[in-house]
């Protein structure tokens, strides 16, 4: 009986420890006020300081463009923000979705140079619970895909029925645009570009727990999943990019760095294998870490974009 009592105490302490660990992980990952840009940048493993000289003139050019703050209400009542750069009322629009803990005007400083000089207007949304957008819980693409559809409709209403739209996402934004591929997208959306996307929050969290924290995913992920369903309104594998692309009806370009330790490259391979798009392309950039592909090989990245877009947008 004494041994059973000690075993019960041990199991109780273990359960308490797991619950505490899950609560700590959940708060640091899912709740707006607790997530930190610096922590995400450190976990990504990419040294961004080396690219600052290259980024500075592009940032100056971007900031010199006429732009407008746009606010729209999401289907669940959040006021969301985006920066609109009309680029002389262009009829080609790139809607670009940023990564985890970032914001619209940050992640696309580099690529804005490509899009603006190629005659595209740009819409740069702040994801829910990021930047100037409202929200307490991070959407991780599962919620953001519906926000993406809202922004697509705004562009069509603003620019007219003859507008041609490309949706481009990086990291969490990459997952967002791929998850949106399973929705009924308006015909004005001509293609999807996804850079270093994860399949679902469940699997990227599992990878981070294993590779960076050296912790087992069970039962932390299962507990976090139940908590998130109750608090944020979605399960951690409720929407999975590798499943959603099975319904894709427009061309898809996938880009990933083979040295990405934050979102492993095998997720890109899995998404590609499952993708049912009429045209699908994959570009793996050697030596590129997380979200680094454009900077590691800018020439090859832009060449791939030009070839891909050239077949779908005139």
């Amino acid at each position: 009986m004494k041994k059973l009592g000690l075993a019960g105490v041990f199991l109780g302490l273990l359960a308490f420890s797991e619950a505490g660990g899950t609560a700590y992980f959940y708060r640091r990952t899912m709740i707006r006020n607790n997530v930190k840009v610096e922590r995400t940048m450190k976990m990504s493993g990419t040294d961004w300081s080396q690219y600052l000289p290259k980024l500075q003139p592009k940032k100056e050019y971007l900031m010199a463009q006429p732009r407008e703050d746009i606010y729209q209400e999401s289907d669940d009542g959040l006021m969301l923000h985006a920066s609109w750069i009309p680029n002389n009322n262009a009829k080609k629009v790139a809607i670009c979705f940023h990564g985890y803990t970032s914001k619209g005007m940050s992640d696309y400083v580099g690529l804005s140079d490509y899009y603006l000089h190629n005659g595209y207007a740009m819409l740069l949304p702040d994801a829910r619970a990021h930047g100037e957008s409202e929200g307490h819980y991070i959407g991780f693409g599962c919620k953001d895909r519906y926000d993406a559809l809202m922004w697509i409709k705004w562009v069509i209403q603003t620019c007219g029925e003859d507008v041609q739209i490309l949706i481009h996402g990086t990291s969490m934004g990459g997952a967002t645009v791929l998850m949106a591929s399973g929705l009924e997208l308006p015909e004005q959306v001509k293609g999807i570009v996804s850079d270093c996307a994860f399949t679902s929050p469940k699997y990227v969290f599992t990878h981070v727990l294993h590779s960076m924290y050296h912790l087992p995913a069970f039962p932390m992920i299962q507990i976090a999943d139940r908590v998130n369903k109750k608090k944020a309104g979605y399960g951690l594998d409720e929407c999975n990019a590798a499943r959603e692309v099975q319904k894709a009806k427009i061309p898809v370009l996938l880009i990933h760095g083979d040295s990405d330790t934050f979102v492993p490259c095998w997720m890109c391979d899995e998404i590609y294998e499952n993708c049912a798009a009429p045209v699908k392309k994959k570009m793996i950039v050697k030596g590129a870490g997380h979200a680094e592909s454009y900077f590691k090989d800018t020439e090859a990245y832009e060449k791939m974009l030009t070839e891909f877009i050239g077949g779908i947008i005139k």
Side-chain angles (χ1 to χ4, degrees):
M1 291 295 293
K2 187 176 181 180
K3 289 182 179 179
L4 287 174
L6 289 172
V9 170
F10 175 76
L11 289 173
L13 289 172
L14 183 62
F16 180 79
S17 175
E18 289 289 355
T22 302
Y24 175 74
F25 170 74
Y26 187 83
R27 286 194 302 269
R28 282 167 58 97
T29 306
M30 303 298 298
I31 298 177
R32 177 183 197 138
N33 292 338
N34 296 322
V35 300
K36 305 295 181 184
V37 177
E38 297 78 12
R39 185 164 66 235
T40 303
M41 291 178 69
K42 184 178 180 180
M43 291 172 71
S44 76
T46 302
D47 177 17
W48 292 108
S49 63
Q50 64 184 306
Y51 298 118
L52 292 180
K54 187 176 182 179
L55 280 168
Q56 189 56 37
K58 295 184 179 186
K59 182 177 181 179
E60 291 173 1
Y61 181 75
L62 173 64
M63 299 305 291
Q65 303 307 305
R67 68 182 187 277
E68 184 180 349
D69 290 314
I70 307 298
Y71 294 89
Q72 292 286 298
E73 187 175 344
S74 70
D75 59 2
D76 54 352
L78 297 177
M79 190 58 66
L80 303 182
H81 169 265
S83 296
W84 171 236
I85 305 169
N87 200 14
N88 298 312
N89 300 314
K91 284 292 187 177
K92 300 184 296 184
V93 179
I95 309 178
C96 300
F97 298 89
H98 64 78
Y100 179 60
T101 73
S102 190
K103 56 185 179 180
M105 287 292 288
S106 294
D107 279 12
Y108 286 90
V109 170
L111 273 163
S112 66
D113 187 71
Y114 172 85
Y115 281 124
L116 293 173
H117 280 106
N118 280 283
Y120 284 79
M122 297 185 73
L123 184 70
L124 304 171
D126 291 341
R128 55 177 54 217
H130 289 77
E132 294 183 41
S133 290
E134 292 181 346
H136 186 62
Y137 296 101
I138 310 296
F140 279 102
C142 301
K143 286 287 188 180
D144 307 282
R145 59 182 171 149
Y146 299 111
D147 303 333
L149 184 57
M150 177 197 72
W151 288 119
I152 289 166
K153 291 177 179 177
W154 181 87
V155 167
I156 295 169
Q157 184 178 15
T158 301
C159 298
E161 295 290 328
D162 57 341
V163 69
Q164 298 179 87
I165 298 172
L166 182 79
I167 55 176
H168 189 145
T170 301
S171 191
M172 186 180 78
T176 296
V177 296
L178 293 177
M179 291 175 181
S181 73
L183 303 175
E184 287 295 325
L185 297 175
E187 63 180 11
Q188 287 84 358
V189 182
K190 304 301 183 182
I192 295 171
V193 179
S194 175
D195 189 332
C196 62
F198 51 78
T199 52
S200 75
K202 175 184 176 180
Y203 290 106
V204 76
F205 295 166
T206 297
H207 170 73
V208 168
L209 283 171
H210 287 164
S211 65
M212 298 183 184
Y213 290 93
H214 308 293
L215 292 170
F218 179 84
M220 292 178 68
I221 293 295
Q222 287 70 22
I223 297 171
D225 181 66
R226 290 197 296 271
V227 171
N228 204 58
K229 284 179 182 176
K230 183 177 180 180
K231 292 182 176 294
Y234 67 94
L236 298 183
D237 195 43
E238 183 176 304
C239 189
N240 184 308
R243 291 197 301 266
E244 294 304 307
V245 294
Q246 294 174 9
K247 298 176 276 187
K249 298 177 181 176
I250 58 176
V252 172
L253 169 61
L254 301 173
I255 301 170
H256 217 107
D258 71 354
S259 297
D260 192 336
T261 58
F262 195 30
V263 177
C265 197
W266 63 258
M267 290 193 179
C268 179
D269 295 333
E270 182 181 345
I271 291 166
Y272 183 81
E273 289 168 8
N274 281 276
C275 186
V279 175
K280 63 177 183 179
K281 295 181 181 294
K282 180 172 66 171
M283 178 184 183
I284 305 299
V285 180
K286 291 185 177 180
H290 189 63
E292 192 184 17
S293 294
Y294 177 74
F295 302 96
K296 180 64 71 173
D297 196 340
T298 302
E299 183 179 353
Y301 197 113
E302 292 188 349
K303 182 173 182 288
M304 176 61 82
L305 273 182
T306 299
E307 290 176 0
F308 176 71
I309 296 171
I312 58 177
I313 294 179
K314 306 304 179 187

